[in-house]
Amino acid sequence: MKVAVFSTEPYDRQFLEAANAELGHPHELVYLDTRLESHTAALAAGFPAVCIFVNDDGSAETLKTLAAGGTQLVALRCTGYNNIDLQAAQDVGITVARVAVYSPYSVAEHVVGLIQLLNRKLHRAYNRVRDDNFALNGLLGFDLHGRTVGIVGTGKIGLILAQIMTGFGCEVLGYDLYPNPQFEAIGTARYVPLPELLERSDIISLHCPLTHDTHHLINAQTIAQMKRGVMLINTSRGQLVDTKAAIEGIKSGQIGYLGIDVYEQEANLFFRDLSDTVIQDDTFQLLQSFPNVAITAHQAFFTREALNDIARTTIANVNDFEAHRPLANEVRLPD
Ligand code: NAD
C-alpha cells in the first residue's frame, strides 16, 4: 500500500524501514519532511494511507482534502489522538488508527530525569564543572525519599511512574477518572480526590490524555490549591497546563519547579532546529529564562525500544487495513 509519511525525521525512516522490511508486504513508504496541515494535505493525493505524528493537523478541513485525494487511512505514530477530528474522519470515511501501546518506560523514565534535573540542578552543575567552577552554592537539592508524588492519570505511564517513585521511597498518590486496581497494588500507592492530591503532593506529574475535560486542568485555581514550592511535571500534552497561569505561579513562588516535555504552542517550535532563527514566542522565551524551569522538546518517548514499538505497530496497522482485518488500534468516536 502507498503511504505518505508526514513529519518524518531520519530516525522515523530508520525504524519504519526496518519494520516495513520485516512485517510489511512491504508497503511503499514515501517520506515527507513537511507537517500535515490543511495546505499540505494535497501532497497525499493518490495515497490510500497517510502516517502522521503528534503535531500534525487532523482537522476537518485537512481530512476533507485527504479524503478527496483518495486517502482512507490515517495511521498515527503516537498514542494521543487529540489532533484528529474524529467526527470529521467518520463523516468523510477515513479510518484512524494509533499506536495504543509502546514502551511506557520511555516516558516514565524521562519524568524521573526531569525531576532530578530540577531537584539537583544537574544542568547547572554540568555547565559549572565544564567552566572549572566547582562551587556548590545554588545547587542544593532535596531527598526524594519521604516526599509525596501525585500522579494524575494512572494508565500505562502513570503506573510505571508509581512503581519507580515507590522505589525511591516516595509516598504515591493517584487521581484518575477510571481508577485501576493495579495502581493501589503498588506499594502504598493510594487514590485520592484531585483536590487532595494537589494539596498534599510535593511533586505532581500529569499522565492523562488531552480531552475537552483536561484542557487547562492546571490553571490559576488548581495551582493555588497546590503546596507552595511544588514541582510540576508535564510530559503529556501542553494544553493540559495554562502556561500563563504557570508563569504567574513561578513568579510568585507557588510553583517551585516546572519540568515540561510538552508545551501549548509546541507545534510552531518542536522537532525542528531553530537555532539560527529569532523565536517569536515570547511566552516560551520567558519560560526558558527561569532557572527553575526545565524544558525538553517532546522527547520523552524517544528511546530505541519505543521507536521500535511505534514503527512495528504502525506497519501492523497498515497491514490490517490493507487486508480488511479488524483494526485492533482503531480510534473511534465514543458511543
Ligand atoms: P493511558 O491511556 O494508558 O492512560 C491515561 C489515563 O488517564 C487513563 O487511566 C485514563 O483513565 C486517565 N484519564 C482520562 N481522563 C482523565 C481525567 N480527566 N482525569 C484524570 N485521569 C484521566 O495513556 P498513557 O500511555 O499512560 O499516556 C498518557 C499520555 O501521555 C497520553 O495521552 C499522551 O498525551 C502522553 N504521551 C506523551 C509522550 C511524550 O513523548 N511526551 C509519549 C507518550 C504519551
Side-chain angles (χ1 to χ4, degrees), residues 79-80 82 98 100 102 104 106-107 152-158 175-178 180 206-211 213-214 217 235-237 261-262 298-302:
T79 309
N82 49 280
R98 65 173 176 146
Y102 66 84
S106 61
V107 181
V152 180
T154 55
K156 293 176 289 294
I157 296 168
Y175 169 72
D176 199 301
L177 274 190
Y178 309 98
N180 174 354
L206 306 178
H207 298 289
C208 55
L210 174 65
T211 62
D213 293 340
T214 59
L217 178 76
T235 56
S236 278
R237 285 292 180 268
D261 185 54
V262 287
H298 212 135
Q299 73 169 85
F301 73 101
F302 201 55

Side-chain angles (χ1 to χ4, degrees), residues 68-121:
T71 297
Q72 298 151 35
L73 173 71
V74 170
L76 290 154
R77 305 196 292 282
C78 53
T79 309
Y81 48 87
N82 49 280
N83 52 340
I84 302 283
D85 183 333
L86 291 176
Q87 182 64 59
Q90 184 174 295
D91 292 347
V92 297
I94 286 184
T95 301
V96 179
R98 65 173 176 146
V99 180
V101 185
Y102 66 84
S103 170
Y105 298 97
S106 61
V107 181
E109 291 174 10
H110 190 74
V111 170
V112 182
L114 285 174
I115 291 173
Q116 286 299 66
L117 179 101
L118 286 164
N119 170 21
R120 309 303 293 265
K121 286 112 181 143

